[in-house]
Amino acid sequence: MCDEIKFVYLKSHPLFSNLTDQQIKDAAQLMKVKTVYRGEYFDYGAGPFSKLFLLIKGKIKITLSDDMDNELVKDILTAPDIFGDLSMDGRPSVDEYTEALTSNTVVCSFNVPDFKKILEDNILLALNYANTVNNKLKKLETRHADLVFYDANARLIRFIKNWSRTDGRRIGDKIVLKNYLTQSEIEG
C-alpha cells in the first residue's frame, strides 16, 4: 500500500494525534493496511506475530465462542478505535475473533513487538494508548454495572440510547439507526 495513504490513515486516528509528521511516517513503515468486507473474519495472531489493530473506517464485532459453538458478542466497535492484543503479551484469546459489520472496513495492523518499539520511542503515543485502554476499561465497568443494577428491559433501553448516540443520524426530531445487528447480538 502507498506510504501516503498509510500516513493519512495514521494521522486521522486519535491515537496518533500528538505525533509529528516524521514520527507518523516512521510508524507507517511498520504498519499493514487491509480492507475487510462485510462478514469477513480475522484473528489477532499469536506470539511474536500477534497484532494490534486500528479501526480506521467501518464497524466490527468482536465475538467469543466456546467449544459448543455458542457465541458471545463482546463488543461492537466503530471507527476510530483499537482492538487486538491490547495487553501486548503475545497471547490473545484463541476463542476470540473479529467480523466486519460494514462493507469496505479499513483496518491497520502492527505486529506487537513493532508497536511496543513505537511506544518506547514516543511518550505521547504511549500516553494516548494508556488513555485509550483506560477508556475501554471504563466502558467495560459500565457494562458490568448495568448487568448488576439493571433488569433486561432497562439494559435494552440503555443500549439503544447509547447506540443512537454513537451511530444515530438526527432527522428532524427523530434519530434514525441503520440496524446491522441481529437479536442475539443485541442480547449479548
Side-chain angles (χ1 to χ4, degrees):
M1 168 128 334
C2 180
D3 288 340
E4 290 84 22
I5 293 173
K6 288 181 176 183
F7 175 82
V8 169
Y9 283 157
L10 279 186
K11 189 151 181 85
S12 71
H13 199 280
L15 194 61
F16 287 81
S17 64
N18 296 331
L19 271 63
T20 66
D21 286 353
Q22 186 57 50
Q23 290 170 319
I24 293 172
K25 286 177 186 175
D26 293 343
Q29 296 295 317
L30 301 172
M31 177 184 81
K32 293 183 180 170
V33 177
K34 182 177 182 180
T35 299
V36 187
Y37 300 99
R38 182 179 171 91
E40 189 175 338
Y41 295 93
F42 54 103
D43 64 16
Y44 305 149
F49 303 108
S50 65
K51 293 181 177 30
L52 186 118
F53 293 89
L54 305 177
L55 180 58
I56 302 296
K57 176 184 169 193
K59 295 175 178 51
I60 60 157
K61 172 177 72 171
I62 299 174
T63 305
L64 190 65
S65 64
D66 64 12
D67 296 335
M68 307 280 287
D69 284 335
N70 295 317
E71 293 183 343
L72 171 69
V73 176
K74 288 180 63 176
D75 208 353
I76 294 173
L77 304 179
T78 304
D81 211 331
I82 63 172
F83 64 100
D85 187 7
L86 296 179
S87 67
M88 295 191 288
D89 64 359
R91 297 178 304 191
S93 173
V94 294
D95 299 326
E96 189 173 293
Y97 59 91
T98 305
E99 177 186 0
L101 294 176
T102 54
S103 58
N104 299 324
T105 299
V106 177
V107 294
C108 298
S109 65
F110 290 94
N111 285 331
V112 166
D114 292 339
F115 195 74
K116 282 182 177 179
K117 178 71 173 128
I118 295 168
L119 289 177
E120 289 172 7
D121 295 340
N122 300 291
I123 189 69
L124 291 175
L125 178 64
L127 290 170
N128 283 351
Y129 183 77
N131 188 43
T132 302
V133 172
N134 181 49
N135 288 338
K136 286 185 165 297
L137 287 171
K138 285 180 181 178
K139 182 179 172 185
L140 186 62
E141 286 176 340
T142 300
R143 288 178 61 191
H144 180 258
D146 284 354
L147 282 171
V148 172
F149 296 118
Y150 296 103
D151 64 5
N153 189 43
R155 285 195 309 270
L156 179 60
I157 291 168
R158 288 174 61 88
F159 171 79
I160 292 171
K161 283 182 178 179
N162 185 44
W163 187 19
S164 67
R165 273 193 296 275
T166 59
D167 287 357
R169 268 186 313 138
R170 182 168 292 279
I171 298 176
D173 62 344
K174 297 178 183 172
I175 296 176
V176 177
L177 285 167
K178 181 177 179 185
N179 185 15
Y180 48 84
L181 301 173
T182 66
Q183 180 179 347
S184 63
E185 290 169 342
I186 292 172
E187 291 169 356

